[in-house]
Amino acid sequence: MTRALGVETTETLPSPPLSTTPTTRRKTVAPSDVVFIGRSNVGKSSLLQWMVKEVPGLRVKTSKKPGYGFHQPKTFIGSVETYLRQRKNLVRTFLLIDGKVGFTELDYVALDMLEEFRIPYALVLTKVDKVHSSRRLVNVMDVVKIRNRFSSPSCFVQPFMVSSLTGEGMAYLVAFVAHITGNLLIK
């Protein structure tokens, strides 16, 4: 099980080779990792529980730790920085933003860290089912402005809008995770 302070991690397991004849030697491939980070109560656990429950055959290893903000340990930032720098198989970090609240100062700290280390990341607005459509639009436009301000090659251009309660937007996120971890082959 992957351990990291303040993050939810997902390690996908490698897909079997296309040919499984006895003469084919199976390569041992290290699993690709994705990490979900966000402030306390942003929906990290709910998102992962939805993915495991709703996607048949999805095999992930997770680690539940507190998010940043509420009851954040003094060692939080250093631990997360070390974790993100040392993950050799990390293909993407997902920065979860509460769709009801929008970007907070603590989210900017996390974003600055991802940019500083040039870690590939994507922005995910959670709990979109609990937001009035006008507020949702304001929060999405704020996320787009933030993304454009950084105009970074590290940031995936399309923010995700999801609800682990209703499943809204989850298919897109799951397909993206499957693709970047090599568990979805597009021909």
Short mmCIF file of all heavy atoms in Angstrom, two decimals, residues 2-42:
data_model
loop_
_atom_site.label_atom_id
_atom_site.label_comp_id
_atom_site.label_asym_id
_atom_site.label_seq_id
_atom_site.Cartn_x
_atom_site.Cartn_y
_atom_site.Cartn_z
N THR A 2 0.60 2.17 -0.86
CA THR A 2 1.35 3.41 -0.92
C THR A 2 0.98 4.29 0.25
O THR A 2 -0.18 4.41 0.60
CB THR A 2 1.02 4.13 -2.24
OG1 THR A 2 1.32 3.25 -3.31
CG2 THR A 2 1.81 5.40 -2.38
N ARG A 3 1.95 4.90 0.84
CA ARG A 3 1.71 5.80 1.96
C ARG A 3 2.20 7.19 1.59
O ARG A 3 3.32 7.35 1.13
CB ARG A 3 2.49 5.34 3.20
CG ARG A 3 2.07 3.99 3.69
CD ARG A 3 0.89 4.12 4.60
NE ARG A 3 0.50 2.80 5.03
CZ ARG A 3 -0.74 2.47 5.27
NH1 ARG A 3 -1.69 3.33 5.15
NH2 ARG A 3 -1.05 1.26 5.65
N ALA A 4 1.38 8.17 1.78
CA ALA A 4 1.79 9.55 1.58
C ALA A 4 0.92 10.43 2.45
O ALA A 4 -0.28 10.26 2.50
CB ALA A 4 1.64 9.96 0.13
N LEU A 5 1.51 11.36 3.12
CA LEU A 5 0.79 12.21 4.03
C LEU A 5 -0.07 13.19 3.25
O LEU A 5 0.43 13.93 2.41
CB LEU A 5 1.78 12.97 4.91
CG LEU A 5 1.19 13.71 6.08
CD1 LEU A 5 0.49 12.73 7.01
CD2 LEU A 5 2.28 14.42 6.85
N GLY A 6 -1.36 13.17 3.52
CA GLY A 6 -2.26 14.15 2.95
C GLY A 6 -2.70 13.90 1.53
O GLY A 6 -3.22 14.80 0.91
N VAL A 7 -2.49 12.74 1.01
CA VAL A 7 -2.91 12.48 -0.36
C VAL A 7 -3.63 11.15 -0.44
O VAL A 7 -3.45 10.29 0.41
CB VAL A 7 -1.71 12.47 -1.34
CG1 VAL A 7 -1.01 13.79 -1.38
CG2 VAL A 7 -0.74 11.36 -1.01
N GLU A 8 -4.46 11.02 -1.42
CA GLU A 8 -5.04 9.73 -1.77
C GLU A 8 -4.25 9.27 -2.98
O GLU A 8 -4.08 10.02 -3.93
CB GLU A 8 -6.51 9.87 -2.16
CG GLU A 8 -7.42 10.24 -1.03
CD GLU A 8 -7.77 9.05 -0.16
OE1 GLU A 8 -7.51 7.91 -0.56
OE2 GLU A 8 -8.31 9.29 0.91
N THR A 9 -3.75 8.07 -2.96
CA THR A 9 -2.96 7.60 -4.09
C THR A 9 -3.66 6.43 -4.74
O THR A 9 -4.37 5.68 -4.09
CB THR A 9 -1.55 7.16 -3.64
OG1 THR A 9 -1.68 6.07 -2.74
CG2 THR A 9 -0.81 8.29 -2.98
N THR A 10 -3.42 6.32 -6.01
CA THR A 10 -3.96 5.20 -6.77
C THR A 10 -2.84 4.62 -7.59
O THR A 10 -2.20 5.33 -8.36
CB THR A 10 -5.09 5.66 -7.71
OG1 THR A 10 -6.10 6.26 -6.92
CG2 THR A 10 -5.66 4.50 -8.48
N GLU A 11 -2.57 3.35 -7.41
CA GLU A 11 -1.59 2.66 -8.25
C GLU A 11 -2.37 1.68 -9.10
O GLU A 11 -3.03 0.79 -8.59
CB GLU A 11 -0.58 1.90 -7.40
CG GLU A 11 0.33 2.79 -6.60
CD GLU A 11 1.35 1.98 -5.83
OE1 GLU A 11 1.65 0.84 -6.22
OE2 GLU A 11 1.84 2.51 -4.83
N THR A 12 -2.31 1.88 -10.40
CA THR A 12 -3.00 0.94 -11.27
C THR A 12 -2.05 -0.20 -11.57
O THR A 12 -0.84 0.00 -11.63
CB THR A 12 -3.44 1.61 -12.58
OG1 THR A 12 -2.29 2.12 -13.23
CG2 THR A 12 -4.43 2.73 -12.30
N LEU A 13 -2.59 -1.35 -11.75
CA LEU A 13 -1.76 -2.52 -12.02
C LEU A 13 -1.62 -2.69 -13.52
O LEU A 13 -2.52 -2.36 -14.28
CB LEU A 13 -2.39 -3.75 -11.37
CG LEU A 13 -2.59 -3.59 -9.86
CD1 LEU A 13 -3.30 -4.81 -9.30
CD2 LEU A 13 -1.27 -3.39 -9.16
N PRO A 14 -0.45 -3.17 -14.00
CA PRO A 14 -0.22 -3.25 -15.43
C PRO A 14 -1.17 -4.21 -16.13
O PRO A 14 -1.61 -5.20 -15.55
CB PRO A 14 1.23 -3.74 -15.53
CG PRO A 14 1.51 -4.39 -14.22
CD PRO A 14 0.64 -3.70 -13.20
N SER A 15 -1.46 -3.87 -17.37
CA SER A 15 -2.31 -4.73 -18.19
C SER A 15 -1.50 -5.93 -18.65
O SER A 15 -0.30 -5.83 -18.85
CB SER A 15 -2.81 -3.97 -19.41
OG SER A 15 -3.55 -2.85 -19.01
N PRO A 16 -2.16 -7.09 -18.86
CA PRO A 16 -1.43 -8.26 -19.36
C PRO A 16 -0.99 -8.01 -20.80
O PRO A 16 -1.59 -7.20 -21.50
CB PRO A 16 -2.46 -9.38 -19.29
CG PRO A 16 -3.78 -8.70 -19.27
CD PRO A 16 -3.57 -7.36 -18.64
N PRO A 17 0.05 -8.70 -21.25
CA PRO A 17 0.49 -8.54 -22.64
C PRO A 17 -0.59 -9.04 -23.59
O PRO A 17 -1.42 -9.86 -23.23
CB PRO A 17 1.76 -9.39 -22.72
CG PRO A 17 1.64 -10.37 -21.60
CD PRO A 17 0.83 -9.69 -20.53
N LEU A 18 -0.54 -8.53 -24.84
CA LEU A 18 -1.54 -8.93 -25.82
C LEU A 18 -1.45 -10.41 -26.16
O LEU A 18 -2.45 -11.07 -26.35
CB LEU A 18 -1.39 -8.08 -27.09
CG LEU A 18 -1.66 -6.59 -26.92
CD1 LEU A 18 -1.41 -5.86 -28.22
CD2 LEU A 18 -3.09 -6.36 -26.45
N SER A 19 -0.25 -10.94 -26.22
CA SER A 19 -0.08 -12.36 -26.53
C SER A 19 0.37 -13.08 -25.27
O SER A 19 1.30 -12.66 -24.61
CB SER A 19 0.98 -12.52 -27.62
OG SER A 19 1.28 -13.89 -27.78
N THR A 20 -0.31 -14.17 -24.95
CA THR A 20 0.05 -14.91 -23.74
C THR A 20 0.45 -16.34 -24.09
O THR A 20 0.25 -17.26 -23.31
CB THR A 20 -1.12 -14.92 -22.74
OG1 THR A 20 -2.26 -15.45 -23.38
CG2 THR A 20 -1.39 -13.54 -22.19
N THR A 21 1.02 -16.52 -25.28
CA THR A 21 1.47 -17.86 -25.65
C THR A 21 2.62 -18.27 -24.74
O THR A 21 3.32 -17.42 -24.20
CB THR A 21 1.93 -17.90 -27.12
OG1 THR A 21 3.03 -17.00 -27.26
CG2 THR A 21 0.82 -17.53 -28.07
N PRO A 22 2.83 -19.59 -24.57
CA PRO A 22 3.89 -20.05 -23.66
C PRO A 22 5.28 -19.53 -24.02
O PRO A 22 6.13 -19.40 -23.16
CB PRO A 22 3.84 -21.57 -23.78
CG PRO A 22 2.48 -21.87 -24.31
CD PRO A 22 2.06 -20.69 -25.11
N THR A 23 5.51 -19.19 -25.29
CA THR A 23 6.83 -18.72 -25.69
C THR A 23 7.03 -17.24 -25.40
O THR A 23 8.13 -16.73 -25.49
CB THR A 23 7.07 -18.98 -27.19
OG1 THR A 23 6.05 -18.32 -27.92
CG2 THR A 23 7.07 -20.47 -27.48
N THR A 24 5.96 -16.54 -25.10
CA THR A 24 6.07 -15.11 -24.81
C THR A 24 6.45 -14.92 -23.36
O THR A 24 5.78 -15.40 -22.46
CB THR A 24 4.71 -14.39 -25.07
OG1 THR A 24 4.32 -14.63 -26.40
CG2 THR A 24 4.84 -12.91 -24.82
N ARG A 25 7.55 -14.21 -23.15
CA ARG A 25 7.96 -13.89 -21.78
C ARG A 25 7.22 -12.65 -21.34
O ARG A 25 7.16 -11.66 -22.05
CB ARG A 25 9.46 -13.67 -21.71
CG ARG A 25 10.23 -14.95 -22.02
CD ARG A 25 11.66 -14.76 -21.73
NE ARG A 25 11.80 -14.86 -20.27
CZ ARG A 25 12.91 -14.56 -19.64
NH1 ARG A 25 13.95 -14.14 -20.28
NH2 ARG A 25 12.97 -14.70 -18.34
N ARG A 26 6.68 -12.70 -20.17
CA ARG A 26 5.92 -11.58 -19.64
C ARG A 26 6.87 -10.59 -18.99
O ARG A 26 7.65 -10.93 -18.12
CB ARG A 26 4.92 -12.09 -18.61
CG ARG A 26 3.93 -11.07 -18.20
CD ARG A 26 2.92 -11.68 -17.27
NE ARG A 26 1.86 -10.73 -17.11
CZ ARG A 26 0.62 -11.04 -16.91
NH1 ARG A 26 0.27 -12.30 -16.84
NH2 ARG A 26 -0.29 -10.12 -16.77
N LYS A 27 6.81 -9.36 -19.46
CA LYS A 27 7.63 -8.32 -18.87
C LYS A 27 7.02 -7.90 -17.54
O LYS A 27 5.81 -7.82 -17.39
CB LYS A 27 7.64 -7.07 -19.76
CG LYS A 27 8.63 -7.09 -20.87
CD LYS A 27 8.59 -5.73 -21.52
CE LYS A 27 9.67 -5.57 -22.54
NZ LYS A 27 9.61 -4.27 -23.19
N THR A 28 7.89 -7.61 -16.59
CA THR A 28 7.41 -7.05 -15.34
C THR A 28 7.42 -5.54 -15.49
O THR A 28 8.47 -4.94 -15.69
CB THR A 28 8.32 -7.46 -14.17
OG1 THR A 28 8.36 -8.88 -14.13
CG2 THR A 28 7.79 -6.92 -12.87
N VAL A 29 6.24 -4.96 -15.46
CA VAL A 29 6.10 -3.53 -15.64
C VAL A 29 5.65 -2.93 -14.33
O VAL A 29 4.68 -3.39 -13.73
CB VAL A 29 5.05 -3.22 -16.74
CG1 VAL A 29 4.89 -1.73 -16.93
CG2 VAL A 29 5.44 -3.90 -18.04
N ALA A 30 6.36 -1.90 -13.89
CA ALA A 30 5.96 -1.22 -12.67
C ALA A 30 4.63 -0.50 -12.92
O ALA A 30 4.44 0.08 -13.99
CB ALA A 30 7.03 -0.21 -12.24
N PRO A 31 3.72 -0.54 -11.96
CA PRO A 31 2.44 0.14 -12.16
C PRO A 31 2.62 1.64 -12.23
O PRO A 31 3.52 2.20 -11.61
CB PRO A 31 1.63 -0.27 -10.93
CG PRO A 31 2.64 -0.65 -9.92
CD PRO A 31 3.83 -1.17 -10.66
N SER A 32 1.77 2.28 -13.02
CA SER A 32 1.76 3.73 -13.09
C SER A 32 0.93 4.26 -11.93
O SER A 32 -0.10 3.69 -11.59
CB SER A 32 1.15 4.19 -14.41
OG SER A 32 1.91 3.72 -15.49
N ASP A 33 1.40 5.36 -11.35
CA ASP A 33 0.71 5.95 -10.21
C ASP A 33 0.01 7.25 -10.61
O ASP A 33 0.51 8.01 -11.43
CB ASP A 33 1.69 6.33 -9.10
CG ASP A 33 2.41 5.15 -8.49
OD1 ASP A 33 2.04 4.01 -8.80
OD2 ASP A 33 3.34 5.38 -7.71
N VAL A 34 -1.14 7.48 -10.01
CA VAL A 34 -1.77 8.79 -10.02
C VAL A 34 -2.05 9.14 -8.57
O VAL A 34 -2.24 8.26 -7.73
CB VAL A 34 -3.07 8.83 -10.87
CG1 VAL A 34 -2.78 8.53 -12.33
CG2 VAL A 34 -4.12 7.89 -10.34
N VAL A 35 -2.04 10.42 -8.29
CA VAL A 35 -2.24 10.89 -6.92
C VAL A 35 -3.35 11.93 -6.91
O VAL A 35 -3.41 12.79 -7.80
CB VAL A 35 -0.93 11.52 -6.36
CG1 VAL A 35 -1.14 12.09 -4.98
CG2 VAL A 35 0.19 10.51 -6.35
N PHE A 36 -4.22 11.84 -5.92
CA PHE A 36 -5.27 12.83 -5.73
C PHE A 36 -4.94 13.63 -4.47
O PHE A 36 -4.84 13.05 -3.39
CB PHE A 36 -6.64 12.14 -5.55
CG PHE A 36 -7.07 11.40 -6.78
CD1 PHE A 36 -6.71 10.07 -6.97
CD2 PHE A 36 -7.81 12.02 -7.75
CE1 PHE A 36 -7.10 9.38 -8.11
CE2 PHE A 36 -8.22 11.33 -8.89
CZ PHE A 36 -7.86 10.02 -9.07
N ILE A 37 -4.75 14.93 -4.64
CA ILE A 37 -4.49 15.78 -3.49
C ILE A 37 -5.57 16.85 -3.40
O ILE A 37 -6.22 17.19 -4.40
CB ILE A 37 -3.09 16.44 -3.53
CG1 ILE A 37 -2.95 17.39 -4.72
CG2 ILE A 37 -2.00 15.39 -3.57
CD1 ILE A 37 -1.65 18.19 -4.69
N GLY A 38 -5.78 17.34 -2.21
CA GLY A 38 -6.79 18.38 -2.01
C GLY A 38 -6.97 18.66 -0.54
O GLY A 38 -6.47 17.93 0.31
N ARG A 39 -7.68 19.72 -0.28
CA ARG A 39 -7.89 20.10 1.12
C ARG A 39 -8.81 19.09 1.81
O ARG A 39 -9.42 18.25 1.16
CB ARG A 39 -8.42 21.52 1.23
CG ARG A 39 -9.81 21.73 0.70
CD ARG A 39 -10.24 23.20 0.86
NE ARG A 39 -11.63 23.36 0.53
CZ ARG A 39 -12.64 23.07 1.34
NH1 ARG A 39 -12.41 22.61 2.54
NH2 ARG A 39 -13.89 23.22 0.94
N SER A 40 -8.89 19.19 3.11
CA SER A 40 -9.77 18.31 3.88
C SER A 40 -11.21 18.44 3.39
O SER A 40 -11.66 19.54 3.07
CB SER A 40 -9.71 18.67 5.37
OG SER A 40 -8.42 18.48 5.87
N ASN A 41 -11.91 17.34 3.32
CA ASN A 41 -13.32 17.28 2.94
C ASN A 41 -13.60 17.74 1.51
O ASN A 41 -14.71 18.17 1.21
CB ASN A 41 -14.18 18.09 3.92
CG ASN A 41 -14.11 17.54 5.31
OD1 ASN A 41 -14.11 16.33 5.50
ND2 ASN A 41 -13.97 18.41 6.29
N VAL A 42 -12.62 17.62 0.63
CA VAL A 42 -12.84 17.99 -0.77
C VAL A 42 -13.47 16.86 -1.56
O VAL A 42 -14.03 17.08 -2.63
CB VAL A 42 -11.52 18.48 -1.42
CG1 VAL A 42 -10.60 17.31 -1.73
CG2 VAL A 42 -11.80 19.30 -2.68
#
